[in-house]
């Protein structure tokens, strides 16, 4: 059974930083592209960032490029999202996700971790 467990969310002031983690189990982590998806209050899900199975390629939406960094440790079956220079519009529940059809595939989700950016 695929399990994805996110952690690291919280309340942070604008301009602050957080590091999200996603512990994966139940599948061969190093063979799957992984993504972070967020859902802001009252809005639909938004794909934020993705990383190739071997970590060689990373991808971001424009609004987070240069502020967020996705990474992975295949030896630890863990995905990360370093978020710097956070803005109120980054407030959302953040989910890690993966699937059978490549980088933007989201067949499997975790339970999410909440990030609130507010002064």
């Amino acid at each position: 059974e695929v399990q994805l467990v996110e952690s690291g969310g919280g309340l942070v002031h604008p301009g602050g930083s957080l590091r999200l983690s996603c512990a994966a189990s139940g599948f061969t982590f190093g063979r799957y592209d992984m993504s972070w998806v967020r859902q802001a209050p009252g809005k639909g899900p938004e794909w934020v960032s993705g990383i190739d199975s071997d970590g060689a390629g990373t991808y971001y939406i424009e609004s987070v490029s240069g502020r967020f960094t996705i990474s992975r440790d295949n030896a630890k079956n863990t995905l990360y999202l370093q978020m710097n220079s956070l803005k109120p519009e980054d407030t959302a529940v953040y989910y890690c996700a993966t699937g059978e059809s490549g980088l933007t595939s989201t067949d499997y989700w975790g339970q999410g971790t909440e990030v609130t950016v507010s002064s």
Side-chain angles (χ1 to χ4, degrees):
E1 178 187 4
V2 173
Q3 288 196 332
L4 301 167
V5 180
E6 301 92 338
S7 61
L11 173 63
V12 62
H13 294 309
S17 298
L18 283 174
R19 189 192 195 203
L20 306 183
S21 298
C22 172
S25 62
F27 65 106
T28 307
F29 180 74
R31 293 184 180 176
Y32 283 76
D33 299 338
M34 297 294 297
S35 296
W36 287 98
V37 178
R38 67 186 179 186
Q39 186 164 15
K43 298 187 177 180
E46 177 184 40
W47 186 91
V48 174
S49 179
I51 187 168
D52 293 339
S53 59
D54 61 0
T58 57
Y59 311 90
Y60 305 91
I61 56 171
E62 185 175 355
S63 62
V64 308
S65 182
R67 299 188 297 120
F68 289 11
T69 302
I70 190 172
S71 62
R72 64 192 297 162
D73 186 335
N74 286 349
K76 296 182 177 180
N77 289 355
T78 303
L79 177 72
Y80 302 101
L81 187 67
Q82 178 67 44
M83 305 188 296
N84 298 330
S85 302
L86 282 160
K87 304 176 180 180
E89 51 265 43
D90 295 317
T91 294
V93 178
Y94 284 73
Y95 302 88
C96 66
T98 191
E100 305 295 339
S101 302
L103 190 65
T104 58
S105 179
T106 54
D107 302 318
Y108 308 106
W109 297 57
Q111 86 291 344
T113 186
E114 188 169 5
V115 173
T116 302
V117 185
S118 175
S119 55

